[in-house]
Protein backbone atom coordinates (compact mmCIF):
# COMPACT_ATOMS: atom_id res chain seq x y z
CA UNK A 1 0.00 0.00 0.00
CA UNK A 2 2.78 2.37 0.90
CA UNK A 3 4.47 1.57 -2.38
CA UNK A 4 1.30 2.40 -4.29
CA UNK A 5 0.98 5.72 -2.49
CA UNK A 6 4.60 6.50 -3.36
CA UNK A 7 3.89 5.70 -7.03
CA UNK A 8 0.77 7.86 -6.98
CA UNK A 9 2.72 10.68 -5.32
CA UNK A 10 5.47 10.29 -7.88
CA UNK A 11 2.96 10.41 -10.74
CA UNK A 12 1.28 13.49 -9.23
CA UNK A 13 4.68 15.17 -8.98
CA UNK A 14 5.36 14.30 -12.63
CA UNK A 15 1.98 15.68 -13.64
CA UNK A 16 2.59 18.77 -11.52
CA UNK A 17 6.03 19.24 -13.12
CA UNK A 18 4.49 18.77 -16.57
CA UNK A 19 1.86 21.41 -15.79
CA UNK A 20 4.57 23.74 -14.53
CA UNK A 21 6.56 23.20 -17.75
CA UNK A 22 3.41 23.77 -19.80
CA UNK A 23 2.68 27.02 -17.96
CA UNK A 24 6.26 28.15 -18.59
CA UNK A 25 5.95 27.39 -22.30
CA UNK A 26 2.60 29.14 -22.45
CA UNK A 27 4.04 32.21 -20.71
CA UNK A 28 6.98 32.20 -23.15
CA UNK A 29 4.59 31.87 -26.06
CA UNK A 30 2.51 34.78 -24.77
CA UNK A 31 5.67 36.86 -24.30
CA UNK A 32 6.86 35.98 -27.82
CA UNK A 33 3.48 36.94 -29.28
CA UNK A 34 3.60 40.32 -27.53
CA UNK A 35 7.14 40.90 -28.82
CA UNK A 36 5.97 39.99 -32.31
CA UNK A 37 3.07 42.45 -32.07
CA UNK A 38 5.43 45.18 -30.86
CA UNK A 39 7.86 44.42 -33.70
CA UNK A 40 5.05 44.52 -36.22
CA UNK A 41 3.87 47.89 -34.92
CA UNK A 42 7.43 49.27 -35.06
CA UNK A 43 7.82 48.01 -38.62
CA UNK A 44 4.54 49.66 -39.62
CA UNK A 45 5.57 52.99 -38.08
CA UNK A 46 9.03 52.76 -39.60
CA UNK A 47 7.59 52.07 -43.04
CA UNK A 48 5.20 54.99 -42.79
CA UNK A 49 7.93 57.30 -41.52
CA UNK A 50 10.34 56.25 -44.27
CA UNK A 51 7.98 56.19 -47.22
CA UNK A 52 5.64 59.02 -46.23
CA UNK A 53 8.08 61.81 -47.15
CA UNK A 54 9.17 59.92 -50.27
CA UNK A 55 5.60 59.64 -51.48
CA UNK A 56 5.05 63.33 -50.77
CA UNK A 57 8.13 64.20 -52.85
CA UNK A 58 6.92 62.01 -55.71
CA UNK A 59 3.48 63.65 -55.58
CA UNK A 60 5.09 67.10 -55.55
CA UNK A 61 7.26 66.18 -58.55
CA UNK A 62 4.24 64.85 -60.44
CA UNK A 63 2.31 68.06 -59.70
CA UNK A 64 5.22 70.18 -60.96
CA UNK A 65 5.56 68.12 -64.14
CA UNK A 66 1.79 68.27 -64.68
CA UNK A 67 1.88 72.07 -64.39
CA UNK A 68 4.77 72.21 -66.89
CA UNK A 69 2.92 69.99 -69.36
CA UNK A 70 -0.27 72.02 -68.86
CA UNK A 71 1.62 75.28 -69.57
CA UNK A 72 3.20 73.75 -72.67
CA UNK A 73 -0.16 72.56 -73.94
CA UNK A 74 -1.67 76.00 -73.36
CA UNK A 75 1.21 77.61 -75.29
CA UNK A 76 0.76 75.13 -78.11
CA UNK A 77 -2.98 75.80 -78.18
CA UNK A 78 -2.30 79.55 -78.51
CA UNK A 79 0.06 78.86 -81.43
CA UNK A 80 -2.55 76.62 -83.07
CA UNK A 81 -5.22 79.30 -82.62
CA UNK A 82 -2.91 81.95 -84.10
CA UNK A 83 -2.06 79.72 -87.05
CA UNK A 84 -5.73 78.96 -87.60
CA UNK A 85 -6.53 82.69 -87.77
CA UNK A 86 -3.62 83.26 -90.17
CA UNK A 87 -4.75 80.34 -92.28
CA UNK A 88 -8.25 81.82 -92.59
CA UNK A 89 -6.74 85.22 -93.47
CA UNK A 90 -4.42 83.69 -96.06
CA UNK A 91 -7.24 81.68 -97.55
CA UNK A 92 -9.32 84.86 -97.82
CA UNK A 93 -6.42 86.71 -99.46
CA UNK A 94 -5.89 83.84 -101.93
CA UNK A 95 -9.59 83.97 -102.87
CA UNK A 96 -9.28 87.73 -103.36
CA UNK A 97 -6.21 87.24 -105.62
CA UNK A 98 -8.04 84.57 -107.60
CA UNK A 99 -11.02 86.83 -108.04
CA UNK A 100 -8.80 89.73 -109.15
CA UNK A 101 -6.92 87.50 -111.60
CA UNK A 102 -10.15 86.11 -112.96
CA UNK A 103 -11.56 89.59 -113.53
CA UNK A 104 -8.52 90.85 -115.47
Amino acid sequence: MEETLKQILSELQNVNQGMHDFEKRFDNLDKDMNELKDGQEQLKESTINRFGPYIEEVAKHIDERFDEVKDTLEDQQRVIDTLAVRSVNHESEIKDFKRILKNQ
Side-chain angles (χ1 to χ4, degrees):
M1 178 85 161
E2 190 176 315
E3 189 61 35
T4 306
L5 286 175
K6 284 182 183 180
Q7 281 181 332
I8 290 172
L9 182 60
S10 176
E11 287 296 321
L12 284 175
Q13 287 174 341
N14 286 341
V15 168
N16 192 21
Q17 183 61 39
M19 288 298 289
H20 181 67
D21 291 345
F22 177 76
E23 287 174 357
K24 249 181 164 177
R25 283 193 214 142
F26 186 76
D27 288 343
N28 286 340
L29 180 61
D30 193 39
K31 180 183 167 193
D32 290 346
M33 282 179 52
N34 286 332
E35 288 176 2
L36 185 60
K37 283 180 184 178
D38 291 343
Q40 185 179 21
E41 188 63 32
Q42 288 175 354
L43 180 61
K44 177 182 163 187
E45 288 175 15
S46 174
T47 301
I48 289 170
N49 290 336
R50 260 192 276 148
F51 288 109
Y54 175 74
I55 291 171
E56 288 175 13
E57 280 298 313
V58 169
K60 181 180 173 186
H61 179 72
I62 289 171
D63 288 344
E64 289 171 357
R65 294 293 294 151
F66 177 78
D67 289 342
E68 290 173 10
V69 169
K70 182 179 169 189
D71 290 344
T72 301
L73 287 174
E74 287 173 354
D75 290 345
Q76 289 177 349
Q77 187 60 48
R78 278 193 292 277
V79 169
I80 289 170
D81 292 343
T82 300
L83 292 174
V85 169
R86 286 182 184 171
S87 174
V88 169
N89 287 341
H90 290 153
E91 193 173 323
S92 176
E93 288 174 358
I94 289 171
K95 284 183 181 179
D96 287 345
F97 286 136
K98 283 183 180 178
R99 190 174 31 85
I100 290 171
L101 287 174
K102 195 175 189 180
N103 290 334
Q104 279 189 343

